[in-house]
Amino acid sequence: MLFDGEIWVSYGFIFVLAPDDDQPDLMAARGGQVNGLCGAAVPGVLSLVTGLHTGDVPLVVEALDTEPALDDAWEDVVEVSFEADEADLVLRSFQDATAVALPGPGIYRARYCATGLDAAHDGTRMAGEPARDRYLLQLWPAPAASDAVIRS
């Protein structure tokens, strides 16, 4: 497990990128991809969309050796290929950053799972309120492939 906790979002996004990289344009990060939730159009960057506009969202990030079984608990599931130029990355939403480390650089398949997108859509979560949405990002080594909507 690389991360298991809550991460602050603002404007409903989280980037996964190298610590020294600049945040790309939100639209460029998802350009040309069909899934709408997880973009990998900018090399070395994952762009994750959340339903919640502002506040803390529960997120788990896992690095795995092989493709995991698909869990029926997730309402929305998408996949993209992600090329990590380095193992040390951060989860970033504007100025906030949390370190995560992959086993090494390389090409990974990224499965992004969400539950509660509609319930949290464009909302704000204040301190002490229960979470309306939650997320899982799973990464495993795999050849590059097109993005895919697994469940919507």
Side-chain angles (χ1 to χ4, degrees):
M1 181 116 23
L2 303 180
F3 179 82
D4 184 357
E6 293 193 344
I7 188 161
W8 177 264
V9 298
S10 188
Y11 293 96
F13 78 90
I14 304 164
F15 283 120
V16 180
L17 68 169
D20 296 329
D21 285 356
D22 292 330
Q23 291 180 179
D25 175 79
L26 285 170
M27 299 317 285
R30 294 187 295 250
Q33 298 195 293
V34 298
N35 75 65
L37 291 179
C38 182
V42 173
V45 176
L46 281 176
S47 170
L48 310 175
V49 174
T50 64
L52 193 73
H53 182 279
T54 304
D56 287 317
V57 295
L59 172 68
V60 173
V61 181
E62 300 174 331
L64 307 160
D65 294 329
T66 60
E67 179 178 353
L70 186 60
D71 187 336
D72 290 336
W74 298 101
E75 297 169 350
D76 296 279
V77 180
V78 299
E79 292 182 0
V80 299
S81 288
F82 170 59
E83 186 167 358
D85 295 330
E86 54 188 89
D88 293 328
L89 303 171
V90 294
L91 303 170
R92 184 178 297 151
S93 176
F94 285 109
Q95 291 81 15
D96 295 332
T98 301
V100 294
L102 292 172
I107 299 175
Y108 291 84
R109 192 66 175 168
R111 178 180 291 161
Y112 186 50
C113 307
T115 294
L117 281 169
D118 292 338
H121 181 71
D122 272 346
T124 298
R125 180 180 174 204
M126 305 303 282
E129 291 182 343
R132 289 173 265 172
D133 52 347
R134 62 186 180 95
Y135 302 89
L136 170 66
L137 177 63
Q138 298 171 308
L139 300 124
W140 66 92
S146 299
D147 70 317
V149 176
I150 308 301
R151 183 180 301 140
S152 175

